[in-house]
Each structure stands twice: as C-alpha cells, then as structure tokens.
Amino acid sequence: MAGKTSKKVVSAVEAMYGENVFGLNAMKKALSKKAFDSLSKTMNNGGALDPQIATEVAGAMKDWAVAKGATHFCHWFQPLTGTTAEKHDSFISPDGQGGVKMEFSAKELIQGEPDASSFPSGGLRATFEARGYTAWDPTSPAFIKEGAEGATLCIPTIFCGYHGEALDKKAPLLRSIAALAKQMDRAGKMFGVKPVVKSYATLGPEQEYFLIDKAFYEQRLDLVQTGRTLFGRKPARHQQMEDHYFGAIRPRIMAFMEELDQTLWKLGMPSKTRHNEVAPAQFEIAPIYERLNLAVDHNMMCMDVMKQIADKHGLVCLLHEKPFAGVNGSGKHNNWSVVGTDGKNWLNPGSSPHENAKFLFTLCAIIKAVDENAALLRATVASPGNDHRLGANEAPPAIISVFLGDQLTDIIEQLESGEAKSARSGGTIQIGVDVIPTLPRDATDRNRTSPFAFTGNKFEFRALGSNMSPSGANVALNTIVAAAMDEMCTQIESDVKAKKDFNKSLQAVLQAIIKKHKRVLFNGDNYTEEWHKEAERRGLPNFKTTPEALKVLEEEKTIALFEKYAVFSRKELLSRYEIYMHNYKSVLSYEAECARTIAVTQIFPAVVEYQAVLAATVKAVEDAGAKAAAAKDVLGKVCQLADALSAGIKALEASIEAHNPEKMKAAMLQARAAADELEGLVPADLWPLPTYAEMLFLY
Ligand code: ADP
Ligand code: MG
C-alpha cells in the first residue's frame, strides 16, 4: 500500500455515542483549559464544584444544549418514589426589546428549588419547612432528552430538605460511595499501593423486562393501574419448551431494541447485550459496567427510555417484578465491584501474592459484611412486587447466602486452615506467599439460584426487582463493606504498629473472618427445601414478606451503622422505613381495589351472561323434549364458580374495609382462583380480558 497511514473509519455508532451528553469530550471543546481541568477533577474525585468556574460551565453547557435544540433545562432527580423526577424551566429571558435571549446562570446550574412538596418525605419535611432543594451532582454529566418537538437539558441532581436531609436516592448513594472509597483508600495505603486514582465502586446492572402489545395492555385495567395482571389463567403453553430464551429476536422487537440501543448510546449509556429471556415476551438488556453513581443514573434513564421507545413501537414495556402469575418474573442483577487506588479491580484474583492478598482481603470483607448484614441486604430488595418472586422457584430465595463456587471455596478453606493441612484439598494458602490458581470464569457462574454470587471478578446481587432503583441495594452494600474493611484495617494497622508482620496479621484477620462467617457460604441449589432447613439451622434470616424484611431499618444496630459512616442520619433512615411501609400498604390497597373493580364490573357480568345463555339453552332443550345433560353440567360448574367468585369479592371488600394488607393478598388470591377457572369455561368472546396467551405470544 502506498499510504502509510490508513484513515480511521468512524462508525455510525462511534459518531453518535455520547452525542447527547455534556461529557468530557463536549466539555473539552467548550471550556477553557482551566475550567476543564477543574471540572474533570471534580467529576473523577467527587467533591464540590469550584465556584469560580461555575459561570463558565453553565454558559458552555447552555450553548451546547441550545445548539442541540434544547429550549428548557431541568434538574433531574430521584425522589423516594423510586422513579425519576424533573421540573422544567425554559432558558428564555426577556431582552427588554420585546424579544428573548437564552440564559442559564451558574446558580441555576448548581441549585434548584423545585419545592416538590408532594414527594414522600417520611416525616422529614414539616409543612413549615417543606421546601426541597436540588443540587448538581457533577460526577454524573448533564444530558439531553429529546422529545417529539424539542429537547431538554437534564442536570442530574440530589434532592434534599432545607437542613440537608436527603429526600432522594442519590444523596445517600454518593455518601455511601464516599464511605467505601475512604476505607478502600486506607486499605490501599495499608497494602503499600502507590495511589494513581481515588478508589471507587463499579456497577453493571442487567435489566429484565416484558414487552406486550399496547392494544392488549389498554384492555387490562390491572396492567394500566397496577403494572401486573391480577387475573389470568396460565396458558397451555408458556415457558415449558424453553425455546424463547436466547431465541431469534422477532423483527418488531428488534426494531424496538435497535432504537433503544441507539437512544442509550447517544446518552452515553454503554448498552452492550440484548436477548430474549426465559419467559415468552421477556427480554434483557445489560450495559458495560461503569462507576457506580453513573451506572445507577444510567439504569434509571434506561428504564425511562425503554418505556418511551416501546410506546413508539405500539408496545408497552412492563418493568413490574411479576406481571404474569405462573410465568417467570423480572429481576435486576446487580454486578458490583471495587477499584482500589492502584486503579485495579480488587475482586480480580491476581497473579502475584501481593495482588492475591488484596483480593482475599476484599473477598473476606464482603463475606463478613454480608453475613453480618444479611437482613439489611434483604430489606433493600423488599417491595410488594418483589414479594412475588423472592422465595418462588425462579428468583433467589429471601435467604441471603454467598456463592463462591467450588474452587474459590476450596481456596477459602485452605486459607482458613492456614498452616495446618486442610482435610479436603490437602493444601494451604499463605498470604504474601501463595498465588491463587486462575479461576476459569465459567466455573464460577453456573449457579443461577444464589442471591449473592461471585462471578469471576465481581459479585452479583441477584435479588433486586426489575422495577427498583439500584440505589438502595448499593447504598447498603457500600456501607456494610466499608464497615467490614474499617474493622479489618483497624486490627491490621494496630498489629503492624505493635511490630507484627503485616502478612501474618492479615492472615489471622482473614482466618478469623472465615471461621466466624462461613455459615453464609452456600454453593448448592438455593431453591430446595433442604437449603431452607439448612439455612434455618445455620441461623440465617429468612424474611418472606416486605413488612418483616423492612423491620431491620428501625433497629438500633442499623441506625448506628449508617450514622457511623454518615450515610443516613437516624431521621433519614426512619423516614425510609415509613415511606417503604406506606408504599407497601398503598400498593396492596390499590391492587385490592382494582381486583374488586375488575371482578365486579368485568368478570362477574360476563359470568352471569354465560349463566343466562346456559340456563336459556337448558330450558329450550328441555322444552323441546330432549335432555340437556351437558349444558346442565356446565351450568352447574359455572354457578358454583360464580358463587366462589362472589365469595372472593366479598372477601376483597372486607379486606379493603379492614385496611389489612395481608387479608387483601389472601382475598385477591381467592377471587383470582375462581376467576381463572371461569376463564377456562366462559366462551372466549364473552371473556372481558385479553388472555395470557394473547399477551405473551402475540407481539
Ligand atoms: P453474565 O452475568 O450474563 O454472564 P457478564 O458477567 O459478562 O454477563 O456481565 C454482566 C454484567 O456485569 C455486565 O453489565 C458487565 O459489564 C458487568 N461487569 C463485568 N465486570 C464488572 C465489574 N468489575 N464491576 C461491575 N460490573 C461488572
Ligand atoms: Mg449475570
């Protein structure tokens, strides 16, 4: 070839990636070097924005956004409803000549006062100080949301009360990230790491969802109102054939996925994998992992974007944890790890004794953290929707155990036995001397039944519901691991001060942890009855419902933990308990109300209509002198089930009257049992609701 340099080909994706984000590339172009350096430092290390550059940043951000067609800006935040919120302001400002100019000040960038007093605060905001404030989180870049006729600049913010009380899910997340980074930095120092970065946590959330045709959705009051079907007979064929999983993607779904990926890429969200999931009409999307705070924002954005794009394609994206009874529900797998001051993933088993020491330190910190705080982790995934999954044979159980895989378990056992020979493998592991054999990645990822699994270079917390903000689980995870590392570092630092050998001290600390906490390790099938019994023997908590699980948020031990690491004050934590309990009761009561409405106004009328048809048939046939045995038989069954449905409706009404969530649950099941049986008897053209078979197969 004549030319020495081949011209770089820029793909369409490379060109569009991050197009709608005011990220490092856009900033570099738009800002002075001084402002850029200062802002990128803040983005990487956290902390407050230098007020001196705020005006320049605001101006550049506005110019960038306006050039992309933005007319408005909003502070984008994550209130305790678990969704995202935004209040828009336009950039326009009168120019004094009857026209307008586009303006955006540093103050508008940095702080907002959306008031937003209708968001849940769990008693954190008395009415006299009800004002809520938003404040820019510069660690997550501003982005542009494209609408049908315009665009809006969205600025990720925290949302807090007048005295700084966190009213959202981002503020505690940032605090927990800082708490973990502090302990990781300290551990880095202890291990003699020459720091090149500040420590941080990483997250790659895998997101499951259903897509159904909008026409069916609109005929289902239960889906419209509650996000799940409250009635519906399991169809003859659902997921028995296991032919949907990873199957060829239908063209209509492909079109949705293609537009979804492109929209996410423009937003700088590194969407990576897409495939069919286990249930019919169920799918999954997963990004490449990122820094935790950004990954959480991106997951929240992703859930919003999925709903919008589905709508454009005549589909509805269902993010509920259990939209269809009897068919697999949807979860979110929280792939989490930590990067130390050496810029390396400390959950990556290393190839030198030094790296292994860091790996085993991190691993043991997590084992200790999870065992000591299993109930807390369980609480972070508690929701009425997730109650339908956890404990059923499709999602991890409500018992939180840790899966390490056989090889890593063996290593842990060797480490525990120290210099004495381990019975099982005959080997020993000595910190600072030994290298861990390379763990083949697939060997670690076979057990899909474990709620908390080591998968090669990260831990995967699999009990999150599909609908949930990943924030809560990660706030807890960061904090409990920070606490475990804190304790471990304190011990080792004091040993070293007392002239004990570092490796010996570390070895002793790790051995003590394994001895004490190995009860939380479990490599077997988490779905089995035996494990439930075994877990009980081991004293592992098993909270089956949300109210039981949430109790831990009120306990002094939990309050002390979060206060110690400045993640939640007592008031903030108790407010979460109050809000989540309120949410639980509200969801159950609107579900029960909705079930009653559908049963009374849609199902029952169809049933009596069929009764009338059958009764008339019986009479007509008998009047004609023939025997109507078959019609009589069906009429008898329908009448019996109609009575059962009616009893279910009465039970629903009584439970609603009594404001009793547990009774509501039971009554919904009772009414549903009769209705679902009737669905198998009443002629299809009389049945008022689209069936499971239609919704799950016709898209
Ligand atoms: P699967 O679990 O389906 O086999 P992978 O393990 O490849 O798939 O990835 C699942 C998710 O875990 C992806 O989002 C990926 O980016 C993320 N992930 C991989 N490594 C890390 C890490 N070090 N920290 C956090 N997430 C990670
Ligand atoms: Mg996975």
Side-chain angles (χ1 to χ4, degrees):
M1 289 259 290
K4 285 195 195 75
T5 52
S6 64
K7 208 172 132 213
K8 186 181 181 300
V9 178
V10 177
S11 77
V13 175
E14 285 172 294
M16 78 167 62
Y17 193 86
E19 185 184 292
N20 285 342
V21 188
F22 194 62
L24 288 177
N25 283 339
M27 284 176 191
K28 200 165 197 168
K29 275 188 215 148
L31 295 173
S32 67
K33 182 161 177 344
K34 177 174 163 254
F36 175 75
D37 289 346
S38 162
L39 186 55
S40 51
K41 210 170 116 206
T42 308
M43 286 178 77
N44 282 331
N45 299 340
L49 179 78
D50 174 3
Q52 304 219 314
I53 65 160
T55 302
E56 185 184 336
V57 173
M61 197 186 281
K62 185 250 321 176
D63 290 344
W64 170 83
V66 168
K68 294 200 166 287
T71 54
H72 288 69
F73 69 93
C74 76
H75 278 196
W76 182 81
F77 58 104
Q78 297 165 29
L80 292 169
T81 52
T83 54
T84 60
E86 46 197 67
K87 184 189 167 212
H88 296 203
D89 277 284
S90 78
F91 289 121
I92 65 165
S93 150
D95 67 359
Q97 327 268 318
V100 292
K101 48 189 194 288
M102 302 299 257
E103 273 185 358
F104 183 52
S105 68
K107 189 176 167 290
E108 287 171 309
L109 166 64
I110 292 169
Q111 206 193 70
E113 274 185 47
D115 186 359
S117 52
S118 294
F119 284 117
S121 82
L124 280 177
R125 299 162 87 182
T127 35
F128 62 87
E129 52 180 36
R131 211 155 249 298
Y133 297 85
T134 50
W136 185 31
D137 163 20
T139 62
S140 182
F143 58 94
I144 285 192
K145 243 186 175 176
E146 289 175 318
E149 307 288 341
T152 304
L153 170 69
C154 299
I155 298 153
T157 58
I158 60 160
F159 178 48
C160 60
Y162 183 72
H163 302 291
E165 318 80 67
L167 297 170
D168 70 345
K169 300 213 170 217
K170 187 190 260 286
L173 181 69
L174 292 173
R175 295 175 190 164
S176 73
I177 289 171
L180 178 63
K182 186 171 164 194
Q183 298 305 325
M184 278 291 291
D185 286 356
R186 179 180 172 196
K189 209 180 261 170
M190 200 175 76
F191 278 98
V193 168
K194 206 172 132 243
V196 291
V197 292
K198 208 174 144 55
S199 309
Y200 58 92
T202 53
L203 171 70
E206 299 163 69
Q207 175 74 48
E208 293 179 336
Y209 61 99
F210 281 86
L211 288 174
I212 64 166
D213 194 286
K214 204 197 293 183
F216 294 136
Y217 173 84
E218 284 169 351
Q219 293 170 58
R220 299 266 339 193
L221 186 65
D222 46 7
L223 282 179
V224 171
Q225 286 258 289
T226 72
R228 75 179 180 103
T229 54
L230 302 173
F231 297 96
R233 191 179 164 84
K234 202 158 134 178
R237 177 169 161 196
H238 42 97
Q239 61 195 52
Q240 307 95 319
M241 308 297 288
E242 296 179 341
D243 52 353
H244 181 69
Y245 188 58
F246 279 30
I249 299 168
R250 294 189 195 180
R252 185 178 185 193
I253 302 300
M254 264 316 277
F256 159 84
M257 287 180 171
E258 279 157 358
E259 188 172 351
L260 175 62
D261 277 341
Q262 283 161 24
T263 309
L264 293 173
W265 288 336
K266 283 190 198 166
L267 287 166
M269 196 278 215
S271 172
K272 175 83 172 165
T273 60
R274 56 189 188 197
H275 61 81
N276 287 357
E277 255 303 324
V278 171
Q282 192 186 29
F283 310 94
E284 183 184 295
I285 179 171
I288 298 169
Y289 69 93
E290 300 176 281
R291 283 180 186 243
L292 177 52
N293 177 39
L294 188 58
V296 171
D297 283 0
H298 280 164
N299 181 251
M300 297 304 291
M301 274 159 62
C302 180
M303 291 195 285
D304 278 347
V305 171
M306 283 161 76
K307 288 185 203 152
Q308 286 158 21
I309 308 267
D311 187 61
K312 278 174 77 177
H313 292 255
L315 297 161
V316 175
C317 176
L318 302 177
L319 287 170
H320 193 281
E321 283 80 8
K322 192 77 178 174
F324 304 100
V327 175
N328 262 31
S330 299
K332 177 146 36 201
H333 289 178
N334 194 83
N335 294 274
W336 175 98
S337 191
V338 280
V339 172
T341 47
D342 49 5
K344 292 186 180 153
N345 176 3
W346 280 28
L347 280 177
N348 217 349
S351 50
S352 70
H354 185 67
E355 302 219 311
N356 280 329
K358 289 184 294 175
F359 168 70
L360 292 168
F361 168 84
T362 312
L363 187 71
C364 288
I366 293 167
I367 293 170
K368 171 177 158 70
V370 174
D371 187 36
E372 284 176 351
N373 301 282
L376 176 59
L377 283 179
R378 166 67 184 94
T380 66
V381 294
S383 77
N386 223 13
D387 277 0
H388 297 288
R389 291 175 66 243
L390 300 181
N393 275 2
E394 57 165 67
I399 307 161
I400 305 290
S401 66
V402 176
F403 170 85
L404 295 181
D406 291 339
Q407 287 172 314
L408 192 50
T409 304
D410 197 33
I411 287 162
I412 286 290
E413 281 167 0
Q414 290 175 45
L415 177 60
E416 184 194 1
S417 61
E419 282 160 67
K421 295 280 179 217
S422 136
R424 185 144 154 245
S425 62
T428 63
I429 291 272
Q430 273 181 276
I431 293 288
V433 179
D434 289 318
V435 174
I436 296 173
T438 316
L439 305 167
R441 213 184 97 56
D442 359 342
T444 61
D445 199 21
R446 294 235 177 86
N447 190 332
R448 309 297 290 186
T449 68
S450 172
F452 202 91
F454 180 72
T455 49
N457 63 351
K458 62 190 188 290
F459 270 97
E460 188 165 339
F461 187 21
R462 297 194 177 119
L464 281 73
S466 47
N467 230 340
M468 285 177 177
S469 159
S471 185
N474 288 293
V475 167
L477 201 48
N478 294 339
T479 310
I480 64 179
V481 175
M485 286 184 171
D486 183 5
E487 220 180 281
M488 293 161 77
C489 289
T490 302
Q491 178 65 50
I492 297 164
E493 284 165 358
S494 104
D495 284 351
V496 168
K497 217 166 166 194
K499 300 278 181 273
K500 199 169 163 183
D501 174 65
F502 170 76
N503 285 329
K504 287 221 165 73
S505 164
L506 177 59
Q507 179 117 8
V509 165
L510 301 188
Q511 282 171 335
I513 287 177
I514 298 166
K515 273 200 181 73
K516 188 159 171 207
H517 299 292
K518 65 181 171 193
R519 65 170 192 162
V520 81
L521 304 179
F522 181 62
N523 290 338
D525 184 349
N526 283 255
Y527 294 169
T528 60
E529 194 45 48
E530 292 83 78
W531 167 236
H532 285 238
K533 287 198 195 112
E534 167 66 16
E536 200 179 330
R537 254 196 308 278
R538 294 191 193 181
L540 302 180
N542 181 7
F543 298 113
K544 298 217 169 72
T545 66
T546 294
E548 289 172 87
L550 288 177
K551 277 262 164 248
V552 68
L553 299 184
E554 282 192 313
E555 286 171 10
E556 284 305 322
K557 176 190 158 204
T558 318
I559 296 168
L561 169 75
F562 283 120
E563 286 205 316
K564 179 165 181 194
Y565 295 95
V567 173
F568 285 121
S569 68
R570 169 184 296 267
K571 243 173 112 183
E572 286 172 331
L573 189 65
L574 293 179
S575 76
R576 268 65 185 174
Y577 175 73
E578 198 174 303
I579 289 166
Y580 301 146
M581 274 308 290
H582 176 75
N583 177 57
Y584 176 79
K585 289 180 196 150
S586 308
V587 169
L588 276 155
S589 70
Y590 70 60
E591 282 187 349
E593 282 275 5
C594 184
R596 193 208 68 88
T597 304
I598 292 172
V600 171
T601 67
Q602 293 190 281
I603 298 176
F604 195 72
V607 173
V608 288
E609 196 176 336
Y610 188 40
Q611 275 178 323
V613 171
L614 286 168
T617 307
V618 170
K619 188 166 183 306
V621 171
E622 287 182 343
D623 284 353
K627 284 193 177 134
K632 258 187 171 161
D633 183 36
V634 179
L635 179 58
K637 276 189 202 149
V638 173
C639 288
Q640 221 177 17
L641 287 169
D643 289 348
L645 177 63
S646 167
I649 291 169
K650 289 207 177 79
L652 271 170
E653 282 165 350
S655 71
I656 293 166
E657 189 97 336
H659 300 283
N660 184 323
E662 302 316 309
K663 284 193 176 139
M664 290 175 192
K665 271 196 221 174
M668 277 192 276
L669 288 175
Q670 188 187 337
R672 175 171 195 151
D676 289 359
E677 256 197 79
L678 282 161
E679 191 187 328
L681 275 180
V682 174
D685 61 349
L686 284 184
W687 196 253
L689 304 168
T691 64
Y692 272 27
E694 289 170 312
M695 289 186 283
L696 292 171
F697 287 89
L698 302 182
Y699 59 85

